[in-house]
Amino acid sequence: MADLTSLLEARYGSTATGPAAPPIADLAAASAAANPTIQTLLQHRSVRAFLPDPLAPGTLELLTAAAQSAATSSNLQTWSAVAVTSPSRKASLASLCGDQAFISQAPLFLVFCADLARAGAACARHGTPGEGLRFFEMYTMAAVDAALAAQNACAAAEALGLGACYVGAARNRPRELAMLLRLPPRVGALFGLAVGRPAPDPAAAVKPRLPQGEVVRRETWDGAEEGEGGEEGREKQKQRQEDHMTAYDEALADFNMKQGRADAPTWTYRSAHRIATVESLHGRDILRQVFQERGFELR
């Protein structure tokens, strides 16, 4: 069983030491029992190379049960998924999702969808107008529900010794993907999840994340209760963010070098260029329009 301190150090890379470091010793002490659930979560990594082995019977059903065990707003369960195992359909999906070969390679590809059709059917059953379905809130609810369900499924897959990789490129060509999967009105694809047994990869490692201090703020965003209000406080926060991003660029550069990718761009460079232009969205700039075409009014 992996040592929790080592897992935390892997998750934060070189930012696990120095001023931006989380209190790893305290975190490890708080979980001294080496909880296997925590270990599974901390060891998550994206898997993009799969063995050809089929999944064991009942795996899809178990992953579905895990997904359905996630929290869901008002128990409306405004998500659904399409489970694809057909080689030809997976090949078509791979083509629509940026020509990513691992989608065809994985024995299972799940497409998680925002699903307001079922709620609409409930309205029709009881003769209510369903006015709420017209608002952006319901799309947001469905997207959150789907993400929570998918993460449960992903964690369950990893607990079974499987690997998984999320695929945001399922939004690259949303009209074509909806046609391929024959999605009905008020159902729209959000992302995919490839699942299978990971191919052996001695170099596989957990990718570091941003320092905790960059993603979690205490009590309020502006830190006023921590004595960082006003212009001086904002300058301190700006400098702290600069320090965090510099530390993370260095941590990811160290990770990439160990992975044989010494020429990989820094995280800040890659992030800036990922959202630099409409073209860099890879077709996803039409997503709002496509969801509206599919019956999401998004008021």
Side-chain angles (χ1 to χ4, degrees), residues 50 55 59-68 79-86 90 93 97 102-104 106-113 146 149-157 162-170 177 181 183 189-196:
F50 298 96
L55 298 180
T59 300
L60 172 59
E61 292 75 13
L62 186 56
L63 298 184
T64 302
Q68 289 189 281
W79 68 275
S80 291
V82 180
V84 180
T85 58
S86 160
K90 284 189 297 176
L93 284 166
C97 297
F102 69 85
I103 295 172
S104 297
L108 172 64
F109 190 65
L110 295 167
V111 180
F112 282 85
C113 302
Q151 187 58 21
N152 259 29
C154 181
L162 301 173
C165 185
Y166 284 99
V167 179
L177 191 140
L181 298 182
L183 301 183
L190 295 169
F191 54 84
L193 186 68
V195 180

Side-chain angles (χ1 to χ4, degrees), residues 22-47:
I24 285 178
D26 294 343
L27 291 170
S31 304
N35 185 302
T37 301
I38 298 296
Q39 291 194 14
T40 297
L41 295 175
L42 290 177
Q43 292 180 95
H44 167 76
R45 64 180 182 86
S46 295
V47 173

Side-chain angles (χ1 to χ4, degrees), residues 60-288:
L60 172 59
E61 292 75 13
L62 186 56
L63 298 184
T64 302
Q68 289 189 281
S69 297
T72 169
S73 184
S74 300
N75 197 33
L76 290 182
Q77 304 176 67
T78 51
W79 68 275
S80 291
V82 180
V84 180
T85 58
S86 160
S88 61
R89 188 166 285 111
K90 284 189 297 176
S92 296
L93 284 166
S95 177
L96 293 175
C97 297
D99 292 315
Q100 299 185 80
F102 69 85
I103 295 172
S104 297
Q105 192 181 57
L108 172 64
F109 190 65
L110 295 167
V111 180
F112 282 85
C113 302
D115 181 358
L116 300 186
R118 187 163 45 243
C123 291
R125 178 171 182 156
H126 293 280
T128 61
E131 287 288 330
L133 293 174
R134 297 178 175 178
F135 290 85
F136 182 72
E137 155 62 11
M138 291 306 299
Y139 165 82
T140 302
M141 179 191 295
V144 172
D145 270 9
L148 294 175
Q151 187 58 21
N152 259 29
C154 181
E158 291 171 346
L160 294 172
L162 301 173
C165 185
Y166 284 99
V167 179
R171 301 186 298 277
N172 283 12
R173 295 168 65 182
R175 290 191 184 95
E176 294 94 327
L177 191 140
M179 290 179 61
L180 176 66
L181 298 182
R182 302 177 190 170
L183 301 183
R186 283 184 169 166
V187 175
L190 295 169
F191 54 84
L193 186 68
V195 180
R197 193 160 299 282
D201 182 1
V206 169
K207 183 181 292 185
R209 292 292 197 255
L210 284 162
Q212 285 192 7
E214 179 57 29
V215 299
V216 176
R217 288 163 169 77
R218 305 280 180 161
E219 303 300 339
T220 62
W221 188 278
D222 64 7
E225 295 189 19
E226 302 293 322
E228 292 193 355
E231 185 62 31
E232 183 179 353
R234 285 190 288 273
E235 285 301 315
K236 286 182 180 179
Q237 292 172 44
K238 183 178 179 180
Q239 184 58 55
R240 187 180 300 119
Q241 184 173 71
E242 286 292 325
D243 293 343
H244 286 160
M245 290 196 295
T246 297
Y248 186 58
D249 273 349
E250 293 170 355
L252 208 54
D254 181 62
F255 171 82
N256 284 326
M257 184 175 64
K258 292 174 180 176
Q259 294 287 303
R261 298 192 297 266
D263 58 344
T266 64
W267 178 79
T268 51
Y269 179 93
R270 183 178 182 278
S271 298
H273 285 76
R274 173 63 179 79
I275 54 176
T277 65
V278 170
E279 290 74 21
S280 64
L281 295 177
H282 302 291
R284 302 179 205 182
D285 53 294
I286 66 170
L287 200 60
R288 180 188 181 95

